[in-house]
Amino acid sequence: MSEKQLGFDTLKVRAGYQSSDHNYAVAVPIYQTASYDLGSVERAEKLFGLEEAGFLYTRIGNPTVDVLEQRLTALDKGTGAVAVASGMAAIAYTLLNLAEGGGRILTTPQLYGGTFDAIKRLFPKFGVQVDFVENSDDPDSFRQAIGPDTKAVLIESISNPNATILDVEAIAKVAHDNGIPLVIDNTFGTPYLFDSFAHGADIIIYSATKAIGGHGTTLGGVIVENGQFNWDNGKFPHFQEPQFLLRDQNTGRERSILEVFPAAPFTTRIRLSYLAYFGASLSPFDAFLLIQGIVTLSERIDKQVSNALKIVQYLQGNDKVSWVNHPAAEGNPYKTLADKYFPKGAGSIFSFGFTGNDEQLKIFLNSVELFSYHANVGDARSLIINSPKTTHGELNAEEQILAGIKPETVRLSIGLENADDLIADLEQAFEKAFVETLV
Ligand SMILES: *Cc1c(COP(=O)(O)O)cnc(C)c1O
């Protein structure tokens, strides 16, 4: 049976794994090994000459990690993937692979705090400059900001913490009109809620730490591609470079990554250069835990989305709440885009405005009993946090305004508990914050 014909839920349980290739083990085995026997001198020659596919050293490939890579490739209907040790490693390797040797990345201010800080303050030191669009709600704003050195457009499918949704297809068209790829950080969307490639993405990045793993136990990152982008258009000379490593074993002619790996040049290039030499490899055990998470991805996300909708409703009816930023909230400006791009729901991570003062917010956060107060998202447990002082604390006041993060912002990541219990927990915390301070 071809994996292409199978539905999402079947693929999330089975894709990329054949038990007959692994001593008929039903669960994906953890290949806890640093290296692999080469077998014979003849086989070693073939492996190192890239004539035979096989594992050499776990830094650049491991059978357990490979299942995770194949599973995400299948879920996103891509042509290849590479897993790395964290979402930040996935972002770093992607941006370096795009703009190696110098170039610009066009993005929006609505980014994960770590990404924002990295591209604004660290990447320029490596020759990778960043431009922010003036108005991310207007695709023309992207068109105007693209220059001759722009190497890619980077956006998040659902932004953090305000659940902003962009017109992805229009932005993809702008990128492609200019010969550059659209890169989507689909961590909040997940492959279940958002079909990135169908809407024009060329590269997808995941922090698998979040909803993909889903249990708050494991760091990981994945980069997926669909083999559609034309890296041969002159803007990416490093993809056209002949390399000794990729030489033809018969003639000795050096070949480029595009010649040798035409279906998945982007992720293969990351594997052979950045993963090989910068070395942020995902451990086999962590890959196993992330695979366990994927098995229940749709069931978890469906429940989290339905829980989130109940909590959005509750917050909208609460006079201690000044606004609720979820596409399902009344009057939310992103509703039309959410209906188009997120037919199964726009996720379970969103923010609301707390009406009390700083002291009351402190009491509120200290009073929640079920919600965990911490910085992760996409966990089976519900989480709460004051973003401006924590997850987006790297941004200065001006940058927070630019990113639309108001001082009264509280972010929720809704988990798998009973929605009624979560609502009761928020209710009692509101009561404490607003009663105790009156006394
Ligand atoms: C958490 C996160 C990252 C970084 O991932 P880590 O696995 O924590 O390194 C990147 N992008 C988004 C949207 C995230 O939420």
Side-chain angles (χ1 to χ4, degrees), residues 165 327-328 334-346:
I165 292 172
Y334 299 105
K335 185 173 184 326
T336 311
L337 288 172
D339 289 345
K340 172 173 176 180
Y341 292 119
F342 293 85
K344 297 196 261 317

Side-chain angles (χ1 to χ4, degrees), residues 377-392:
V377 293
D379 195 320
R381 288 159 284 256
S382 292
L383 317 174
I384 191 165
I385 201 154
N386 45 341
S387 301
K389 289 212 160 69
T390 54
T391 60
H392 288 72

Side-chain angles (χ1 to χ4, degrees), residues 111-114 117 160-161 361 365 372-377 383-396 400 405-407 409-412:
L111 291 176
Y112 174 69
D117 212 34
N160 172 14
L361 180 53
L365 291 170
S372 308
Y373 177 54
H374 69 87
N376 197 13
V377 293
L383 317 174
I384 191 165
I385 201 154
N386 45 341
S387 301
K389 289 212 160 69
T390 54
T391 60
H392 288 72
E394 309 98 312
L395 279 62
N396 62 37
Q400 291 204 358
I405 300 168
K406 298 180 180 155
T409 301
V410 176
R411 185 189 72 190
L412 300 178

Side-chain angles (χ1 to χ4, degrees), residues 85-89 91 111-112 115 156 158 160 185-188 205-210 218-221 376-377 411:
S86 70
M88 281 319 297
I91 286 168
L111 291 176
Y112 174 69
T115 309
E156 293 184 2
I158 306 178
N160 172 14
D185 181 336
N186 191 31
T187 299
F188 279 34
I205 298 172
Y206 292 107
S207 166
T209 314
K210 313 295 169 51
T218 312
L219 281 137
N376 197 13
V377 293
R411 185 189 72 190

Side-chain angles (χ1 to χ4, degrees), residues 236-256:
F236 304 91
H238 47 293
F239 280 81
Q240 296 170 301
E241 256 167 32
Q243 290 179 42
F244 178 71
L245 178 75
L246 303 176
R247 69 193 176 282
D248 184 306
Q249 293 301 308
N250 296 318
T251 66
R253 188 179 69 85
E254 296 184 5
R255 299 177 297 181
S256 75

